[in-house]
Amino acid sequence: MATSRKVTLLSSDGESFEVEQSVAVESITIKDSIEEGSAGNPIPVPKVNSKILAKVIEYCKKHVESAKAEDRVDDEDLVAWDADFVKVDQATLFDLIRAANFLNIKSLLDLTCQTVADMIKGKTPEEKRKTFTIRNDFTPEEEEEVRRENQWAFE
Amino acid sequence: MAAAARKHGSLDDDGGEEKEAGAVLHGDVLELTLSHVPLVDLVPAARVSRSWSLAVSSSLRHLRRPRPWLLVHYQSPRPPHAVSSRAYDPRSRVWMDLEAGPGAAAAKLLASAPLRSSHSALLYGVSPARLSFSPDPLHLTWRHASPPSAWRVDPAVALVGSRLVVAGGACDFENDPLSVEVYDTRAGTWSACDPMPAPLKDSSASLWLSVAADGRRMYVMEKLTGATHVFDPEAGAWFGPYDLRPDRDVFYSIIGFSGDRLVMAGLLGNSEDLKGVKLWGSMTVEADGLEEICDMPEELVKELRDDNCCVSSIGMCLSGDFLYLYSNSKPELVFWCEREVESGAWRWGPRATQRREAGAWARGWRTPAPKSGSGSCGRRRRPGTGGSW
């Protein structure tokens, strides 16, 4: 395909987003498709709905612009921007992880996974169940076995 | 469009129920997230529910597997010579304080003997009263023996199979400074062997000699010259010396074993002007020289050098395909390198720095061996103690 400056991405629910190619290729998946020439135009992005795709594009745009900026001070601003970016509800966060994984955008994947990882660490199992609304499906015997095996961590 | 989803995580078929499924942390999203959670926090995570327990195992196996920890022990030079311990986990890149760890037990057992480590996971202390040693990764068990008959200060000590070799050491009063004694850990008896080669006389092992052992022999390399002598405790005889340095530019070298492979780390240039750090390896010491494995990347060498700092000696700890390197003048800085199983190539990780502790610096360093339990990651088992996964 001709290397045009803009590409169109089509979300799973049929919405189109026109973006600069430099922004779109933050996703290795999209970059590979373009280079192989197997992508149509618009490029369909299955499994990622418009709401999430919009956020992903916002992230990529910000990071591409930042990379172009020459002032190193922007690094701190970028970190602050990233911290704000992930202040969303859990469902959106998990969708972002899925999308980042599927689209192969390492920095977004690391950012979102780390955010959820920070929610996981430092909590007791009961607190984790509460945070993520999970049902404890261990039988009492299984639970006792786990507790005994990992005694050292609970001292 | 070529759907390039990562091959380890096939998305759950929650097609039509995306909205509900999105709110639940499970499947590949959970596994990806868990790969960012420090290892110690994965233990309570595995207790949350069955699916989380499976996700922890799967994440550890496929996404970010556990790697050997570096255990650092600090022994105070003032009585009662308290020992405190810290551990570095390269998977999660965190340093941890070990509170009720081996350090406390070690201090009591060793009394005034300095804690030392010559190779892999062996920690020991030799005093006129006794010999104490611990070969297990977390040093939860210590063994004691009567001391060797010759009084030594800082001898070369190595555990070769079931035999503990104690050789040489610096001592002004002893008639036989080159004596070598071997303690059979199964029989609990000492026996004397051929004396050490003369060039190794009066060498304090921790300062001048690099000691390594495979299952059959002990290797002693003079750090400054690279001359290597090999001792076979079964034959009770010494072999060598072998000149292992293929590069004349090496001014300091140390050895260790990665599995069956002898690995040598060498400093190039001179102590005031460090040009680089290189790794060599060989399956046998008798062969003509060692093969180059890799160079330490320039940015890491720079950190080691750190303007105007004299790098005169380094230390190395090896466990399986994993290697730790540190400078003795800046022990808070640690570098690691790992051999990729598929390609066989060695890859350096980012440096690990820890806060400088006031007081005495480490006397003994070594790594635990996690691979002994790596088979357990695939089964429905959670990470246990530091050495068992």
Side-chain angles (χ1 to χ4, degrees):
Chain A
M1 296 244 60
T3 48
S4 56
R5 291 286 300 157
K6 285 195 183 287
V7 294
T8 310
L9 303 175
L10 188 65
S11 71
S12 61
D13 47 353
E15 216 178 299
S16 320
F17 296 85
E18 199 183 57
V19 291
E20 304 266 322
Q21 183 162 312
S22 57
V23 171
V25 298
E26 283 285 292
S27 152
I28 309 288
T29 310
I30 295 180
K31 178 167 182 273
D32 286 346
S33 307
I34 295 178
E35 283 176 1
E36 283 167 22
S38 59
N41 200 15
I43 302 174
V45 185
K47 298 188 187 180
V48 183
N49 65 32
S50 51
K51 173 178 168 218
I52 301 298
L53 190 55
K55 282 217 67 126
V56 171
I57 290 171
E58 186 193 342
Y59 176 87
C60 294
K61 255 196 199 137
K62 178 73 183 178
H63 278 245
V64 167
E65 279 165 14
S66 244
K68 285 192 199 136
E70 308 200 337
D71 198 348
R72 296 292 292 168
V73 173
D74 279 348
D75 269 359
E76 287 167 16
D77 291 341
L78 193 60
V79 168
W81 188 90
D82 279 352
D84 264 344
F85 180 79
V86 289
K87 284 195 180 123
V88 292
D89 59 278
Q90 278 186 15
T92 310
L93 198 51
F94 303 155
D95 280 337
L96 279 172
I97 293 178
R98 251 185 223 107
N101 186 29
F102 177 71
L103 291 170
N104 200 342
I105 306 171
K106 187 173 185 313
S107 57
L108 179 59
L109 187 61
D110 283 345
L111 173 67
T112 44
C113 283
Q114 193 59 52
T115 310
V116 183
D118 290 340
M119 284 196 252
I120 291 178
K121 64 183 181 184
K123 290 195 166 78
T124 64
E126 192 45 53
E127 285 165 352
K128 289 194 229 294
R129 286 182 200 121
K130 237 191 183 146
T131 308
F132 298 106
T133 330
I134 299 170
R135 197 176 63 83
N136 180 5
D137 58 355
F138 279 126
T139 66
E141 294 81 29
E142 281 170 343
E143 188 144 19
E144 187 49 41
E145 188 202 330
V146 180
R147 158 164 277 282
R148 254 184 301 115
E149 267 183 17
N150 298 305
Q151 198 66 37
W152 65 282
F154 298 107
E155 276 154 16
Chain B
M1 167 172 162
R6 301 247 178 94
K7 58 183 182 311
H8 63 263
S10 56
L11 295 174
D12 292 13
D13 53 349
D14 53 359
E17 298 159 315
E18 255 179 57
K19 213 163 159 58
E20 281 174 10
V24 177
L25 184 57
H26 71 292
D28 58 335
V29 177
L30 177 58
E31 287 187 28
L32 281 165
T33 311
L34 289 171
S35 71
H36 283 73
V37 175
L39 207 52
V40 281
D41 292 302
L42 286 181
V43 178
R47 274 189 68 202
V48 169
S49 73
R50 276 196 195 137
S51 58
W52 273 54
S53 172
L54 289 169
V56 167
S57 298
S58 180
S59 181
L60 281 175
R61 184 175 229 187
H62 301 294
L63 292 186
R64 207 178 277 196
R65 56 197 166 76
R67 291 179 162 93
W69 290 12
L70 178 71
L71 287 163
V72 183
H73 305 281
Y74 306 88
Q75 186 176 36
S76 166
R78 290 178 294 280
H81 303 288
V83 176
S84 63
S85 309
R86 304 193 81 204
Y88 178 68
D89 173 12
R91 172 188 175 273
S92 324
R93 303 199 191 154
V94 290
W95 282 94
M96 288 156 277
D97 287 312
L98 300 179
E99 284 165 7
K108 278 193 229 124
L109 295 167
L110 294 173
S112 59
L115 187 64
R116 294 203 195 280
S117 171
S118 56
H119 68 100
S120 68
L122 179 72
L123 269 191
Y124 62 90
V126 180
S127 74
R130 65 175 166 207
L131 163 75
S132 304
F133 63 98
S134 175
D136 71 88
L138 282 189
H139 307 294
L140 300 171
T141 55
W142 282 82
R143 296 194 50 178
H144 308 283
S146 50
S149 54
W151 179 40
R152 308 147 187 285
V153 173
D154 201 3
V157 176
L159 188 62
V160 182
S162 63
R163 295 190 179 91
L164 193 73
V165 179
V166 180
C171 186
D172 288 335
F173 306 112
E174 201 53 51
N175 289 334
D176 190 4
L178 292 172
S179 78
V180 176
E181 294 173 77
V182 175
Y183 179 72
D184 185 330
T185 58
R186 285 197 279 237
T189 53
W190 286 95
S191 49
C193 298
D194 279 357
M196 271 177 117
L200 298 173
K201 182 171 175 310
D202 285 341
S203 298
S204 288
S206 56
L207 288 176
W208 305 115
L209 304 177
S210 176
V211 178
D214 61 10
R216 295 170 304 126
R217 301 184 292 184
M218 171 172 94
Y219 298 73
V220 182
M221 173 186 269
E222 289 175 70
K223 294 180 185 174
L224 294 181
T225 66
T228 305
H229 301 261
V230 182
F231 178 69
D232 184 334
E234 194 151 333
W238 287 87
F239 303 92
Y242 303 99
D243 179 9
L244 297 180
R245 288 185 187 172
D247 195 327
R248 294 300 124 201
D249 215 10
V250 178
F251 69 94
Y252 184 94
S253 56
I254 47 178
I255 46 172
F257 270 91
S258 158
D260 289 333
R261 189 186 293 103
L262 177 71
V263 174
M264 178 176 83
L267 298 179
L268 302 160
N270 61 67
S271 61
E272 266 113 45
D273 180 22
L274 182 70
K275 295 225 168 62
V277 179
K278 232 182 211 176
L279 295 179
W280 288 270
S282 170
M283 295 305 284
T284 158
V285 75
E286 284 89 353
D288 276 331
L290 304 175
E291 288 162 11
E292 243 181 71
I293 291 178
C294 67
D295 285 88
M296 187 189 254
E298 180 54 38
E299 61 268 15
L300 295 181
V301 177
K302 235 185 241 166
E303 295 190 40
L304 187 61
R305 223 174 12 221
D306 190 19
D307 351 71
N308 306 324
C309 180
C310 191
V311 183
S312 51
S313 67
I314 50 171
M316 178 166 71
C317 286
L318 286 148
S319 173
D321 291 327
F322 211 84
L323 182 153
Y324 283 100
L325 210 75
Y326 49 89
S327 159
N328 287 323
S329 44
K330 281 203 291 184
E332 69 271 17
L333 205 58
V334 173
F335 302 93
W336 57 265
C337 188
E338 184 180 22
R339 181 175 173 272
E340 265 152 28
V341 182
E342 303 87 21
S343 61
W346 288 75
R347 198 177 47 90
W348 290 86
R351 59 143 173 79
T353 321
Q354 56 161 335
R355 285 174 295 115
R356 183 149 201 160
E357 301 270 341
W361 269 106
R363 298 286 187 88
W365 305 57
R366 72 307 161 283
T367 53
K371 303 295 191 223
S372 56
S374 63
S376 68
C377 288
R379 295 195 303 269
R380 196 171 157 252
R381 207 193 124 88
R382 303 79 183 169
T385 57
S388 70
W389 56 62

